[in-house]
Amino acid sequence: SDNSLETESMCKSLNITHVKSSAHRHQSNADAENNNQQILKVARTITVAAGMPVSLWHKAIPFAALADNITKPKDQESPWFRRFGAEFAATKWPYGARVQFRPPGIRDAAIKVHKMLPNMVDGLFLGYRMHPGGTWSGDYLVCSYENMLEYIRGDKHELTTHHIPEILVPALVEFPLLEARKVLQTARTADALRDARRPFVDVAPPVDAQAVADAAGVPLDLVVLPETDEPPHVLFGGGSHVDGTP
């Protein structure tokens, strides 16, 4: 790191070796800062691309850091391979993408109702559970789609994250939250346009008194435009007739 005290304290509490940049050497400090900024850029990108809430930054940043380590550059070995001697063995799947998984205990609950009921639920992919030292534990981090909606609405203040050894991924990558946000934005845009047009749609166009006089074949001073929504009146011999009809 760039010798930050909070990072040093964290490393001590977790018994992790803290590699620091060289003091008073701007080049090494810039390398550390640039690496942090790169991870933040990736985290922001995957959060926006998946439509995930920004409050889950603590999920997006570790995902972005791991993705950088397991990505194989062109004609080069990945950082993960150079460290462990083998490529990352887990299923690679995007942050916030749709998955199916079986939460603990759901199988028994489903069987109590009927043996043919599905024992998997729709969820969102949050990443990988890692061991100290950077090795993969063999578990995926997921949450149910229903629980995520409750978290976004504020019905639940914490998101329930499951550690699952197996996940089922669809043939095509889907981002349910992104699609939901698009539908909501479309609905809000339609409502806004409808509200903007309402004053022009609900109010009748102004009446041209001269056009009424010409159509009735009378002088303009015999045409009376009422203040209400009633049609204009044309006066004949002191009487009042609608639309200029005698």
Side-chain angles (χ1 to χ4, degrees), residues 93-136:
W93 202 241
Y95 177 73
R98 177 177 175 267
V99 295
Q100 286 189 317
F101 68 98
R102 189 174 69 188
I106 192 173
R107 179 177 182 275
D108 296 335
I111 289 178
K112 288 181 180 179
V113 180
H114 198 284
K115 290 184 177 181
M116 298 303 295
L117 284 178
N119 55 16
M120 302 188 76
V121 299
D122 287 325
L124 302 175
F125 189 68
L126 300 178
Y128 309 85
R129 186 186 183 193
M130 308 301 291
H131 281 317
T135 58
W136 180 46

Short mmCIF file of all heavy atoms in Angstrom, two decimals, residues 93-136:
data_model
loop_
_atom_site.label_atom_id
_atom_site.label_comp_id
_atom_site.label_asym_id
_atom_site.label_seq_id
_atom_site.Cartn_x
_atom_site.Cartn_y
_atom_site.Cartn_z
N TRP A 93 -17.93 -15.88 -13.69
CA TRP A 93 -19.25 -15.33 -13.97
C TRP A 93 -19.28 -13.87 -13.55
O TRP A 93 -18.66 -13.49 -12.55
CB TRP A 93 -20.32 -16.12 -13.21
CG TRP A 93 -21.69 -16.00 -13.78
CD1 TRP A 93 -22.81 -15.50 -13.15
CD2 TRP A 93 -22.13 -16.40 -15.08
NE1 TRP A 93 -23.89 -15.56 -13.98
CE2 TRP A 93 -23.52 -16.11 -15.18
CE3 TRP A 93 -21.49 -16.97 -16.17
CZ2 TRP A 93 -24.25 -16.37 -16.32
CZ3 TRP A 93 -22.23 -17.22 -17.32
CH2 TRP A 93 -23.58 -16.93 -17.38
N PRO A 94 -19.99 -12.99 -14.29
CA PRO A 94 -19.96 -11.56 -14.00
C PRO A 94 -20.63 -11.20 -12.68
O PRO A 94 -21.57 -11.88 -12.22
CB PRO A 94 -20.70 -10.93 -15.19
CG PRO A 94 -20.69 -11.97 -16.25
CD PRO A 94 -20.71 -13.28 -15.54
N TYR A 95 -20.18 -10.12 -12.11
CA TYR A 95 -20.76 -9.57 -10.89
C TYR A 95 -22.20 -9.11 -11.15
O TYR A 95 -22.47 -8.39 -12.10
CB TYR A 95 -19.91 -8.39 -10.43
CG TYR A 95 -20.42 -7.66 -9.21
CD1 TYR A 95 -20.34 -8.23 -7.95
CD2 TYR A 95 -20.97 -6.38 -9.33
CE1 TYR A 95 -20.79 -7.55 -6.83
CE2 TYR A 95 -21.42 -5.69 -8.22
CZ TYR A 95 -21.32 -6.28 -6.96
OH TYR A 95 -21.78 -5.60 -5.86
N GLY A 96 -23.12 -9.53 -10.28
CA GLY A 96 -24.52 -9.14 -10.40
C GLY A 96 -25.31 -9.90 -11.43
O GLY A 96 -26.49 -9.58 -11.67
N ALA A 97 -24.71 -10.90 -12.08
CA ALA A 97 -25.42 -11.66 -13.10
C ALA A 97 -26.34 -12.70 -12.45
O ALA A 97 -26.14 -13.11 -11.30
CB ALA A 97 -24.43 -12.35 -14.05
N ARG A 98 -27.32 -13.15 -13.20
CA ARG A 98 -28.31 -14.10 -12.71
C ARG A 98 -27.70 -15.49 -12.58
O ARG A 98 -26.98 -15.96 -13.44
CB ARG A 98 -29.51 -14.15 -13.65
CG ARG A 98 -30.57 -15.18 -13.26
CD ARG A 98 -31.76 -15.11 -14.21
NE ARG A 98 -32.73 -16.15 -13.92
CZ ARG A 98 -32.75 -17.33 -14.52
NH1 ARG A 98 -31.84 -17.63 -15.45
NH2 ARG A 98 -33.67 -18.24 -14.22
N VAL A 99 -28.01 -16.13 -11.47
CA VAL A 99 -27.65 -17.53 -11.23
C VAL A 99 -28.82 -18.22 -10.54
O VAL A 99 -29.78 -17.57 -10.11
CB VAL A 99 -26.39 -17.67 -10.35
CG1 VAL A 99 -25.16 -17.10 -11.03
CG2 VAL A 99 -26.60 -17.00 -8.99
N GLN A 100 -28.74 -19.51 -10.44
CA GLN A 100 -29.67 -20.28 -9.63
C GLN A 100 -28.85 -21.08 -8.63
O GLN A 100 -27.77 -21.60 -8.95
CB GLN A 100 -30.53 -21.21 -10.50
CG GLN A 100 -31.62 -20.49 -11.27
CD GLN A 100 -32.58 -21.45 -11.93
OE1 GLN A 100 -32.18 -22.45 -12.51
NE2 GLN A 100 -33.87 -21.15 -11.85
N PHE A 101 -29.38 -21.18 -7.43
CA PHE A 101 -28.67 -21.92 -6.40
C PHE A 101 -29.68 -22.47 -5.39
O PHE A 101 -30.86 -22.09 -5.39
CB PHE A 101 -27.65 -21.02 -5.68
CG PHE A 101 -28.27 -19.92 -4.86
CD1 PHE A 101 -28.44 -20.07 -3.49
CD2 PHE A 101 -28.69 -18.73 -5.45
CE1 PHE A 101 -29.01 -19.07 -2.73
CE2 PHE A 101 -29.26 -17.72 -4.70
CZ PHE A 101 -29.42 -17.89 -3.33
N ARG A 102 -29.19 -23.36 -4.56
CA ARG A 102 -30.04 -23.96 -3.53
C ARG A 102 -29.58 -23.49 -2.16
O ARG A 102 -28.54 -23.93 -1.68
CB ARG A 102 -29.99 -25.48 -3.60
CG ARG A 102 -31.00 -26.17 -2.71
CD ARG A 102 -31.00 -27.67 -2.93
NE ARG A 102 -29.77 -28.29 -2.45
CZ ARG A 102 -29.46 -29.57 -2.65
NH1 ARG A 102 -30.26 -30.33 -3.37
NH2 ARG A 102 -28.33 -30.06 -2.17
N PRO A 103 -30.34 -22.58 -1.55
CA PRO A 103 -29.96 -22.11 -0.22
C PRO A 103 -30.03 -23.24 0.80
O PRO A 103 -30.76 -24.21 0.61
CB PRO A 103 -31.01 -21.02 0.08
CG PRO A 103 -31.59 -20.66 -1.23
CD PRO A 103 -31.54 -21.90 -2.05
N PRO A 104 -29.29 -23.13 1.87
CA PRO A 104 -29.34 -24.18 2.90
C PRO A 104 -30.74 -24.36 3.46
O PRO A 104 -31.42 -23.39 3.79
CB PRO A 104 -28.38 -23.65 3.98
CG PRO A 104 -27.49 -22.69 3.27
CD PRO A 104 -28.31 -22.09 2.18
N GLY A 105 -31.19 -25.61 3.51
CA GLY A 105 -32.47 -25.93 4.11
C GLY A 105 -33.66 -25.86 3.19
O GLY A 105 -34.75 -26.32 3.54
N ILE A 106 -33.51 -25.32 1.97
CA ILE A 106 -34.68 -25.17 1.10
C ILE A 106 -35.15 -26.52 0.56
O ILE A 106 -36.32 -26.72 0.29
CB ILE A 106 -34.38 -24.20 -0.06
CG1 ILE A 106 -35.68 -23.83 -0.78
CG2 ILE A 106 -33.39 -24.78 -1.03
CD1 ILE A 106 -35.52 -22.76 -1.82
N ARG A 107 -34.22 -27.47 0.41
CA ARG A 107 -34.60 -28.78 -0.13
C ARG A 107 -35.58 -29.47 0.82
O ARG A 107 -36.61 -30.00 0.41
CB ARG A 107 -33.37 -29.65 -0.34
CG ARG A 107 -33.70 -31.05 -0.88
CD ARG A 107 -32.42 -31.83 -1.13
NE ARG A 107 -32.73 -33.14 -1.70
CZ ARG A 107 -33.03 -34.20 -0.98
NH1 ARG A 107 -33.08 -34.11 0.34
NH2 ARG A 107 -33.29 -35.36 -1.57
N ASP A 108 -35.26 -29.46 2.11
CA ASP A 108 -36.15 -30.10 3.08
C ASP A 108 -37.51 -29.40 3.12
O ASP A 108 -38.55 -30.05 3.22
CB ASP A 108 -35.51 -30.08 4.47
CG ASP A 108 -34.23 -30.90 4.52
OD1 ASP A 108 -34.10 -31.82 3.69
OD2 ASP A 108 -33.39 -30.60 5.37
N ALA A 109 -37.50 -28.07 3.03
CA ALA A 109 -38.77 -27.33 3.05
C ALA A 109 -39.60 -27.64 1.82
O ALA A 109 -40.83 -27.75 1.89
CB ALA A 109 -38.50 -25.83 3.14
N ALA A 110 -38.96 -27.78 0.65
CA ALA A 110 -39.69 -28.08 -0.58
C ALA A 110 -40.27 -29.49 -0.55
O ALA A 110 -41.39 -29.72 -1.00
CB ALA A 110 -38.77 -27.91 -1.79
N ILE A 111 -39.49 -30.44 -0.05
CA ILE A 111 -39.97 -31.83 -0.02
C ILE A 111 -41.18 -31.96 0.90
O ILE A 111 -42.08 -32.77 0.65
CB ILE A 111 -38.83 -32.76 0.42
CG1 ILE A 111 -37.78 -32.86 -0.70
CG2 ILE A 111 -39.34 -34.14 0.77
CD1 ILE A 111 -36.59 -33.72 -0.36
N LYS A 112 -41.23 -31.14 1.96
CA LYS A 112 -42.38 -31.21 2.86
C LYS A 112 -43.67 -30.84 2.14
O LYS A 112 -44.75 -31.30 2.48
CB LYS A 112 -42.17 -30.28 4.06
CG LYS A 112 -41.12 -30.79 5.05
CD LYS A 112 -40.98 -29.84 6.22
CE LYS A 112 -39.92 -30.34 7.20
NZ LYS A 112 -39.76 -29.41 8.34
N VAL A 113 -43.57 -29.97 1.12
CA VAL A 113 -44.75 -29.57 0.36
C VAL A 113 -45.01 -30.57 -0.75
O VAL A 113 -46.11 -31.12 -0.87
CB VAL A 113 -44.57 -28.15 -0.23
CG1 VAL A 113 -45.80 -27.75 -1.03
CG2 VAL A 113 -44.32 -27.15 0.89
N HIS A 114 -44.02 -30.81 -1.61
CA HIS A 114 -44.15 -31.79 -2.69
C HIS A 114 -42.76 -32.11 -3.22
O HIS A 114 -41.92 -31.21 -3.38
CB HIS A 114 -45.04 -31.25 -3.81
CG HIS A 114 -45.55 -32.33 -4.73
ND1 HIS A 114 -44.76 -32.94 -5.67
CD2 HIS A 114 -46.76 -32.92 -4.80
CE1 HIS A 114 -45.47 -33.84 -6.31
NE2 HIS A 114 -46.69 -33.86 -5.81
N LYS A 115 -42.51 -33.36 -3.51
CA LYS A 115 -41.19 -33.78 -3.96
C LYS A 115 -40.82 -33.18 -5.31
O LYS A 115 -39.64 -33.08 -5.64
CB LYS A 115 -41.13 -35.30 -4.05
CG LYS A 115 -41.14 -35.99 -2.70
CD LYS A 115 -40.97 -37.49 -2.85
CE LYS A 115 -40.90 -38.17 -1.49
NZ LYS A 115 -40.72 -39.64 -1.60
N MET A 116 -41.82 -32.81 -6.13
CA MET A 116 -41.54 -32.32 -7.47
C MET A 116 -41.35 -30.80 -7.52
O MET A 116 -41.08 -30.25 -8.58
CB MET A 116 -42.67 -32.71 -8.42
CG MET A 116 -42.85 -34.21 -8.58
SD MET A 116 -41.33 -35.02 -9.15
CE MET A 116 -41.16 -34.29 -10.78
N LEU A 117 -41.46 -30.13 -6.40
CA LEU A 117 -41.23 -28.68 -6.40
C LEU A 117 -39.75 -28.37 -6.60
O LEU A 117 -38.89 -29.13 -6.15
CB LEU A 117 -41.71 -28.08 -5.08
CG LEU A 117 -43.22 -27.92 -4.89
CD1 LEU A 117 -43.51 -27.36 -3.51
CD2 LEU A 117 -43.80 -27.01 -5.95
N PRO A 118 -39.43 -27.29 -7.30
CA PRO A 118 -38.01 -26.94 -7.49
C PRO A 118 -37.36 -26.59 -6.15
O PRO A 118 -37.98 -25.97 -5.28
CB PRO A 118 -38.07 -25.73 -8.42
CG PRO A 118 -39.44 -25.16 -8.22
CD PRO A 118 -40.34 -26.32 -7.94
N ASN A 119 -36.13 -27.00 -6.00
CA ASN A 119 -35.40 -26.70 -4.77
C ASN A 119 -34.28 -25.69 -5.00
O ASN A 119 -33.34 -25.62 -4.22
CB ASN A 119 -34.84 -27.98 -4.14
CG ASN A 119 -33.97 -28.77 -5.10
OD1 ASN A 119 -33.55 -28.24 -6.13
ND2 ASN A 119 -33.72 -30.02 -4.77
N MET A 120 -34.38 -24.93 -6.10
CA MET A 120 -33.41 -23.87 -6.39
C MET A 120 -34.16 -22.55 -6.55
O MET A 120 -35.34 -22.53 -6.89
CB MET A 120 -32.61 -24.19 -7.65
CG MET A 120 -31.86 -25.51 -7.59
SD MET A 120 -30.74 -25.75 -9.00
CE MET A 120 -29.40 -24.66 -8.54
N VAL A 121 -33.45 -21.48 -6.28
CA VAL A 121 -34.05 -20.14 -6.37
C VAL A 121 -33.21 -19.28 -7.30
O VAL A 121 -32.01 -19.55 -7.52
CB VAL A 121 -34.16 -19.47 -4.98
CG1 VAL A 121 -35.04 -20.29 -4.07
CG2 VAL A 121 -32.77 -19.28 -4.38
N ASP A 122 -33.82 -18.24 -7.84
CA ASP A 122 -33.10 -17.27 -8.66
C ASP A 122 -32.28 -16.35 -7.75
O ASP A 122 -32.76 -15.92 -6.70
CB ASP A 122 -34.06 -16.43 -9.49
CG ASP A 122 -34.66 -17.23 -10.64
OD1 ASP A 122 -33.96 -18.09 -11.19
OD2 ASP A 122 -35.83 -17.00 -10.98
N GLY A 123 -31.07 -16.09 -8.17
CA GLY A 123 -30.21 -15.24 -7.36
C GLY A 123 -29.28 -14.40 -8.20
O GLY A 123 -29.33 -14.41 -9.43
N LEU A 124 -28.42 -13.67 -7.52
CA LEU A 124 -27.43 -12.80 -8.15
C LEU A 124 -26.04 -13.22 -7.68
O LEU A 124 -25.83 -13.54 -6.51
CB LEU A 124 -27.68 -11.33 -7.79
CG LEU A 124 -29.06 -10.78 -8.17
CD1 LEU A 124 -29.20 -9.36 -7.64
CD2 LEU A 124 -29.25 -10.81 -9.68
N PHE A 125 -25.10 -13.17 -8.60
CA PHE A 125 -23.74 -13.59 -8.31
C PHE A 125 -22.96 -12.43 -7.70
O PHE A 125 -22.91 -11.33 -8.26
CB PHE A 125 -23.05 -14.06 -9.59
CG PHE A 125 -21.73 -14.71 -9.37
CD1 PHE A 125 -21.63 -15.94 -8.74
CD2 PHE A 125 -20.56 -14.09 -9.79
CE1 PHE A 125 -20.40 -16.54 -8.54
CE2 PHE A 125 -19.33 -14.68 -9.60
CZ PHE A 125 -19.25 -15.91 -8.96
N LEU A 126 -22.33 -12.66 -6.55
CA LEU A 126 -21.61 -11.61 -5.83
C LEU A 126 -20.10 -11.84 -5.79
O LEU A 126 -19.37 -10.94 -5.38
CB LEU A 126 -22.15 -11.48 -4.40
CG LEU A 126 -23.63 -11.12 -4.26
CD1 LEU A 126 -24.02 -11.07 -2.81
CD2 LEU A 126 -23.94 -9.82 -4.96
N GLY A 127 -19.64 -13.04 -6.16
CA GLY A 127 -18.20 -13.25 -6.15
C GLY A 127 -17.81 -14.60 -5.60
O GLY A 127 -18.57 -15.58 -5.65
N TYR A 128 -16.62 -14.64 -5.03
CA TYR A 128 -16.01 -15.88 -4.56
C TYR A 128 -15.56 -15.70 -3.11
O TYR A 128 -15.02 -14.66 -2.74
CB TYR A 128 -14.81 -16.26 -5.43
CG TYR A 128 -15.13 -16.27 -6.91
CD1 TYR A 128 -15.06 -15.09 -7.66
CD2 TYR A 128 -15.50 -17.43 -7.56
CE1 TYR A 128 -15.35 -15.09 -9.01
CE2 TYR A 128 -15.79 -17.45 -8.91
CZ TYR A 128 -15.73 -16.26 -9.63
OH TYR A 128 -16.02 -16.26 -10.97
N ARG A 129 -15.75 -16.74 -2.33
CA ARG A 129 -15.28 -16.70 -0.94
C ARG A 129 -13.82 -17.13 -0.92
O ARG A 129 -13.48 -18.23 -1.36
CB ARG A 129 -16.13 -17.62 -0.06
CG ARG A 129 -15.81 -17.51 1.42
CD ARG A 129 -16.57 -18.54 2.22
NE ARG A 129 -16.32 -18.40 3.64
CZ ARG A 129 -16.65 -19.30 4.54
NH1 ARG A 129 -17.26 -20.43 4.17
NH2 ARG A 129 -16.39 -19.11 5.81
N MET A 130 -12.97 -16.27 -0.39
CA MET A 130 -11.54 -16.51 -0.41
C MET A 130 -11.02 -16.82 0.99
O MET A 130 -11.53 -16.32 2.00
CB MET A 130 -10.80 -15.29 -0.96
CG MET A 130 -11.33 -14.79 -2.30
SD MET A 130 -11.27 -16.03 -3.61
CE MET A 130 -9.48 -16.14 -3.83
N HIS A 131 -9.98 -17.65 1.04
CA HIS A 131 -9.28 -17.94 2.28
C HIS A 131 -8.20 -16.91 2.51
O HIS A 131 -7.74 -16.24 1.56
CB HIS A 131 -8.64 -19.33 2.21
CG HIS A 131 -9.61 -20.45 2.45
ND1 HIS A 131 -10.56 -20.41 3.44
CD2 HIS A 131 -9.74 -21.66 1.83
CE1 HIS A 131 -11.25 -21.54 3.43
NE2 HIS A 131 -10.79 -22.31 2.46
N PRO A 132 -7.75 -16.74 3.77
CA PRO A 132 -6.56 -15.91 4.00
C PRO A 132 -5.39 -16.41 3.17
O PRO A 132 -5.15 -17.62 3.07
CB PRO A 132 -6.31 -16.08 5.51
CG PRO A 132 -7.65 -16.41 6.08
CD PRO A 132 -8.33 -17.24 5.02
N GLY A 133 -4.68 -15.50 2.55
CA GLY A 133 -3.61 -15.88 1.67
C GLY A 133 -4.00 -15.83 0.21
O GLY A 133 -3.14 -15.99 -0.68
N GLY A 134 -5.28 -15.60 -0.06
CA GLY A 134 -5.72 -15.40 -1.43
C GLY A 134 -6.16 -16.64 -2.17
O GLY A 134 -6.43 -16.57 -3.37
N THR A 135 -6.26 -17.79 -1.51
CA THR A 135 -6.73 -19.00 -2.18
C THR A 135 -8.25 -19.06 -2.13
O THR A 135 -8.89 -18.52 -1.22
CB THR A 135 -6.15 -20.26 -1.52
OG1 THR A 135 -6.53 -20.29 -0.13
CG2 THR A 135 -4.64 -20.27 -1.63
N TRP A 136 -8.82 -19.75 -3.13
CA TRP A 136 -10.28 -19.86 -3.20
C TRP A 136 -10.77 -20.97 -2.28
O TRP A 136 -10.21 -22.08 -2.27
CB TRP A 136 -10.71 -20.14 -4.64
CG TRP A 136 -12.18 -20.27 -4.83
CD1 TRP A 136 -13.15 -19.46 -4.33
CD2 TRP A 136 -12.87 -21.29 -5.57
NE1 TRP A 136 -14.40 -19.87 -4.70
CE2 TRP A 136 -14.25 -21.00 -5.48
CE3 TRP A 136 -12.45 -22.39 -6.31
CZ2 TRP A 136 -15.22 -21.80 -6.08
CZ3 TRP A 136 -13.42 -23.17 -6.93
CH2 TRP A 136 -14.78 -22.89 -6.81
#
